[in-house]
Amino acid sequence: MKEPGPCNNETTTEGIVGSGSANPTTASEVAMDMEGHSHGNRKNAMKFHNEDLPGYPQTLKAFCDLVLLHWYLYISTLDNPWDLVHLVHIQLAQQLWYKYVRLKQRVCEWRKDIAKKALLAVKHFFDSYESTTEARAEYVSWAVPTSKLTLDKKGRKIIIPPAVYPYMWREVIENESGSMTTRSAFCHPCILQTFAHVLETMRKVPAETQTHRNPVAGLSLSTIAVERAFKYWKTGDFVVPSQKSTGKFSKQAWRFPFNEVLKATNHLTEKQWKKIRELAEEQLEGLIEQTKELLCEKSGIITGRAFCFENDSD
């Protein structure tokens, strides 16, 4: 499939083109918690609930509106959002709240939420275009290529990794020589929509306590979450991996891709960060799960609900 762009040798990540109807998978099906499956006999980690907060329920609002938001903001700027047992992290968590384990659990939930946002973003991406199963499969194969195993001159097996991952770019032009010209890193619409969720969380933190560090972990997690989501569509239809560990958004499964993407984010200039942020900010008003009611609230619109009153009759 080489029809996403304006001509046969030019391909953009804006969408795919094909004939036929879109896949009927519903948003609710795609949005299901992929991490919620049973994992056999593995012992479950201890989980805490809101009721475990000291001073509950009086402290719940402060915990959610202040402590968690500052914690998410801090985690989004780290080079490693997976391991949260470093002494520095613990000390900061204790400064925010001495209930560190609860914070750690919430970060796990935050990462899962990013993964679910990516699933929705990719489904929305495919739903935006009339495409066949074959066209979607071809697009995924092109956008998220895999390493190839070959033999060198001495007959030894070597791995040839992809030189470009098109899903990480807004525009990719395939040249006659077979090489690719790329433009606008991390500006694929799926990455922007997923990253918008991270920015939405950060935006809730009071301005006087905002950090000036770029959310490298937030962008990196958003990117690999989109890669993971695309792989669910490699057959052209949304298919949950039969092996649960394969689909899990965990450090064990995604540490290497995350570290590679993180290296790329470290090369982004402030100008490029500004562009990514601005494009993602544009997505905030159109977040996939955002309702019309929330849009009315943000716009200051008053609906008929507020006018359900009348004067006394005679």
Side-chain angles (χ1 to χ4, degrees), residues 194-221:
T194 307
F195 185 51
H197 168 67
V198 176
L199 295 183
E200 175 74 357
T201 303
M202 296 174 60
R203 193 168 66 172
K204 295 176 182 177
V205 178
E208 61 272 15
T209 56
Q210 283 276 3
T211 179
H212 296 292
R213 297 179 61 186
N214 290 316
V216 291
L219 181 57
S220 299
L221 284 173

Side-chain angles (χ1 to χ4, degrees), residues 1-107:
M1 182 206 72
K2 299 299 177 187
E3 298 182 23
C7 63
N8 289 336
N9 68 333
E10 181 175 337
T11 305
T12 70
T13 55
E14 289 297 327
I16 63 174
V17 178
S19 59
S21 59
N23 184 269
T25 308
T26 64
S28 60
E29 291 172 333
V30 176
M32 62 183 175
D33 187 353
M34 301 308 305
E35 321 306 335
H37 297 284
S38 172
H39 295 280
N41 297 324
R42 190 183 69 179
K43 185 178 180 180
N44 293 329
M46 180 182 294
K47 288 191 176 183
F48 291 83
H49 305 278
N50 290 334
E51 292 78 5
D52 297 314
L53 287 173
Y56 176 86
Q58 289 78 11
T59 55
L60 179 60
K61 188 176 189 307
F63 180 75
C64 294
D65 294 349
L66 182 62
V67 178
L68 279 178
L69 293 180
H70 282 79
W71 183 245
Y72 291 154
L73 179 64
Y74 170 70
I75 295 300
S76 69
T77 65
L78 298 179
D79 290 344
N80 184 355
W82 307 100
D83 294 324
L84 303 176
V85 295
H86 193 281
L87 180 60
V88 174
H89 307 330
I90 296 176
Q91 289 174 340
L92 177 67
Q94 289 174 335
Q95 292 173 9
L96 294 174
W97 201 288
Y98 65 86
K99 200 69 173 180
Y100 166 70
V101 178
R102 181 67 175 129
L103 287 176
K104 182 179 178 182
Q105 178 183 321
R106 283 297 182 93
V107 172

